[in-house]
């Protein structure tokens, strides 16, 4: 069978599924806008565009960008069609608009969506944090969130099925969409992502961290409020005062991720570290930027306590990886985290905004190695039970693909 993937950062969430499908003998093609790493058995076709977003209504610019991308992907799809490529199944991430028109090229293909998140004006990320809540009329927020979701609504009209990595993320979709979504995590290779001996860490500034040191770890792809960096930093003076031997290691880039950019001329790291300047020994807080994967896993194996905070939003792979390595987790009491961390069983939870409570709970855990060991072992067991790549995820994902390939497509004629 022929399978087409659409994802601007391919392989991304399909990094495990695509090679498995290729190994089964399927012919795979990926349409993407970025240069991906090599993916065994997959032909990559890159789309590009010279169009720029127009200067129309500000609310329309996001959708305009998606239409520009969709038109570029459409041209790539037509070239593939003219070469004789006709997919039996299309699996697409709907978030960037790339997939909007591919069903017009291949109307008889089965069509499935990776359902990462459906925006809402209330109840999830948009209005969660009063400190960074958009200053606008709620009616405006509702209008803007519906516009952000418009590509997904258009695609669900013609989609046969969806897949979402967590129950929380699936729950953000309207009922008429949710009934077609299977929940299955992207998968953690718990044989590789596992407890084990760690090597001492040496960084470019000469800092060395040895096995056995009291180390608090915090990981963001981009250091920003969406992942609770402000709450974490505000807890550090109290933690470091009460745990004089503790050190803090922060993994992540300075940059804009999911939320707004930092105030002009600064970064979120600088902005919040300025808040605690003079209140603690900041030389004990080490920012190491982005790390290679083996170094990242080594950091987790060195961790005494791993802190993970997030808005009600997409759950980070880093939490699951920290759990799989047996870290003791201190997480935010928010819906995505509660799905995997049960307070007192697989980790501890604290109110996202309660930095004093976060400090108290961190100090408690740092002083209780027996509790940390118990929580870390239970955290790893939960990941193995729910998200182990080989025993849980790939069998479910492959069965999902098989069912789609065996089914008739939802729409047999081109959409109008």
């Amino acid at each position: 069978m022929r399978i087409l993937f659409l994802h601007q950062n391919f392989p991304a969430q399909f990094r495990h599924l695509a090679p498995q499908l290729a190994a089964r003998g399927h012919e795979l093609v990926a349409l993407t806008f970025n240069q991906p790493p090599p993916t065994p058995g997959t032909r990559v076709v890159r789309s590009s565009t010279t169009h720029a977003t127009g200067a129309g209504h500000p609310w329309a610019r996001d959708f305009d960008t998606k239409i520009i991308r969709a038109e570029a992907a459409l041209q790539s799809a037509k070239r593939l069609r003219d070469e004789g490529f006709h997919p039996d199944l299309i699996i697409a991430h709907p978030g960037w608009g790339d997939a909007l028109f591919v069903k017009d090229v291949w109307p008889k293909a089965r069509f499935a969506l990776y359902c990462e998140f459906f925006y809402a004006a209330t109840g999830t990320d948009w209005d969660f944090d009063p400190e960074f809540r958009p200053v606008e009329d709620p009616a405006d927020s509702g209008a803007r969130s519906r516009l952000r979701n418009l590509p997904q609504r258009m695609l669900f009209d013609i989609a046969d099925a969806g897949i979402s990595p967590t129950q929380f993320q699936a729950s953000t979709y309207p009922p008429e969409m949710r009934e077609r979504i299977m929940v299955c995590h992207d998968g953690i290779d718990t044989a590789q992502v596992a407890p084990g001996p760690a090597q001492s860490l040496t960084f470019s500034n000469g800092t060395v961290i040895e096995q056995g040191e009291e180390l608090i770890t915090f990981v963001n792809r981009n250091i920003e409020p969406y992942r609770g960096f402000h709450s974490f930093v505000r807890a550090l003076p109290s933690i470091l005062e009460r745990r004089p031997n503790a050190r803090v290691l922060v993994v992540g880039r300075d940059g804009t991720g999911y939320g707004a950019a930092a105030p002009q001329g600064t970064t979120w790291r600088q902005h919040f570290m300025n808040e605690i300047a003079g209140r603690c020994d900041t030389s004990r807080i080490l920012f190491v930027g982005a790390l290679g994967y083996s170094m990242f896993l080594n950091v987790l194996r060195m961790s005494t306590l791993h802190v993970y905070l997030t808005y009600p939003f997409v759950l980070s792979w880093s939490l699951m990886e920290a759990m799989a390595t047996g870290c003791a987790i201190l997480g935010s009491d928010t819906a995505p985290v509660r799905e995997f961390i049960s307070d007192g069983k697989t980790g501890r939870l604290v109110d996202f905004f309660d930095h004093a409570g976060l400090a108290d709970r961190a100090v408690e855990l740092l002083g209780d190695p027996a509790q940390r060991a118990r929580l870390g072992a239970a955290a790893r067991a939960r990941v193995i039970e729910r998200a182990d790549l080989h025993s849980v995820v790939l069998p479910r994902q492959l069965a999902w693909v098989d069912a789609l390939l065996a089914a008739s497509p939802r729409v047999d004629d081109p959409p109008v």
Side-chain angles (χ1 to χ4, degrees):
M1 294 286 194
R2 292 177 166 183
I3 299 173
L4 176 70
F5 286 99
L6 284 97
H7 195 302
Q8 74 160 3
N9 295 315
F10 183 85
Q13 291 96 344
F14 309 129
R15 60 179 175 164
H16 300 304
L17 176 61
Q20 288 291 314
L21 292 172
R24 284 182 154 202
H26 296 296
E27 181 183 348
L28 269 57
V29 174
L31 278 183
T32 181
F33 277 79
N34 297 327
Q35 181 61 54
T39 302
T42 302
R43 175 191 172 193
V44 172
V45 177
R46 293 182 66 193
S47 300
S48 62
T49 180
T50 58
H51 291 290
T53 299
H57 195 289
W59 292 1
R61 288 175 188 161
D62 179 70
F63 188 65
D64 187 45
T65 300
K66 290 178 171 60
I67 294 297
I68 291 169
R69 295 172 61 90
E71 192 273 336
L74 172 65
Q75 300 308 318
S76 296
K78 289 192 295 184
R79 287 191 290 271
L80 280 170
R81 178 202 60 192
D82 294 344
E83 293 174 8
F85 180 77
H86 295 277
D88 301 286
L89 171 63
I90 300 168
I91 303 175
H93 192 302
W96 300 284
D98 308 15
L100 277 170
F101 306 134
V102 294
K103 187 74 169 176
D104 295 276
V105 180
W106 296 294
K108 294 189 181 296
R110 292 83 165 171
F111 190 45
L113 301 176
Y114 183 89
C115 302
E116 189 165 21
F117 195 73
F118 197 85
Y119 291 94
T122 60
T124 55
D125 61 318
W126 190 260
D127 65 340
F128 176 71
D129 191 340
E131 188 172 352
F132 302 103
R133 185 180 297 151
V135 181
E136 61 185 1
D137 189 293
D140 294 347
S141 296
R144 291 174 62 190
S145 66
R146 285 198 299 278
L147 285 170
R148 293 186 77 178
N149 289 325
L150 185 56
Q152 295 198 75
R153 286 193 175 276
M154 293 171 64
L155 288 168
F156 252 96
D157 284 344
I158 54 174
D160 298 280
I163 189 169
S164 190
T166 70
Q167 294 288 348
F168 168 74
Q169 287 165 251
S171 75
T172 64
Y173 286 81
E176 66 271 18
M177 299 182 184
R178 174 67 183 88
E179 64 185 13
R180 275 180 270 155
I181 298 173
M182 180 186 81
V183 175
C184 179
H185 194 266
D186 306 319
I188 302 295
D189 186 348
T190 60
Q192 176 191 15
V193 186
Q199 305 297 318
S200 62
L201 299 169
T202 302
F203 297 97
S204 57
N205 65 356
T207 299
V208 177
I209 299 177
E210 302 286 354
Q211 177 73 42
E213 290 194 46
E214 189 168 284
L215 183 65
I216 303 165
T217 54
F218 186 85
V219 174
N220 286 180
R221 178 177 297 175
N222 293 286
I223 296 171
E224 60 183 334
Y226 254 66
R227 299 307 193 191
F229 182 69
H230 51 321
S231 290
F232 177 66
V233 167
R234 289 164 181 168
L236 289 181
S238 177
I239 295 171
L240 295 177
E241 178 184 4
R242 294 151 70 185
R243 300 298 299 183
N245 295 319
R247 302 170 82 178
V248 179
L249 192 151
V250 179
V251 178
R253 298 185 293 253
D254 287 322
T256 302
Y258 300 113
Q264 188 171 7
T266 188
T267 65
W268 285 123
R269 173 174 60 88
Q270 294 166 336
H271 180 77
F272 292 115
M273 287 298 290
N274 286 341
E275 280 193 23
I276 65 168
R279 296 173 51 203
C280 64
D281 179 4
T282 56
S283 69
R284 294 163 61 192
I285 306 171
L286 180 63
F287 292 87
V288 297
L291 299 177
Y293 197 61
S294 60
M295 174 71 93
F296 167 66
L297 293 182
N298 194 53
V299 165
L300 293 180
R301 292 178 181 127
M302 292 279 283
S303 178
T304 309
L305 177 66
H306 185 76
V307 178
Y308 177 77
L309 312 173
T310 184
Y311 285 13
F313 192 59
V314 173
L315 190 73
S316 304
W317 283 341
S318 65
L319 172 65
M320 306 293 283
E321 289 161 328
M323 293 174 70
T325 56
C327 288
I329 307 293
L330 176 55
S332 58
D333 191 6
T334 47
V337 183
R338 287 195 298 268
E339 190 168 330
F340 292 93
I341 298 294
S342 301
D343 188 39
K345 296 180 180 178
T346 55
R348 301 305 303 268
L349 297 175
V350 66
D351 186 284
F352 179 95
F353 303 105
D354 184 6
H355 55 270
L358 191 157
D360 290 342
R361 189 57 50 82
V363 168
E364 172 198 334
L365 287 166
L366 290 168
D368 191 342
Q371 182 180 188
R372 294 198 310 271
R374 175 178 61 80
L375 294 174
R380 175 169 169 78
R382 179 156 292 181
V383 172
I384 292 172
E385 173 192 7
R386 297 188 183 180
D388 178 70
L389 178 64
H390 297 289
S391 65
V392 178
V393 169
L394 283 176
R396 294 197 68 206
Q397 289 181 339
L398 292 169
W400 178 73
V401 169
D402 289 343
L404 282 163
L405 289 170
S408 298
R410 182 179 175 86
V411 178
D412 289 323
D413 297 314
V416 295

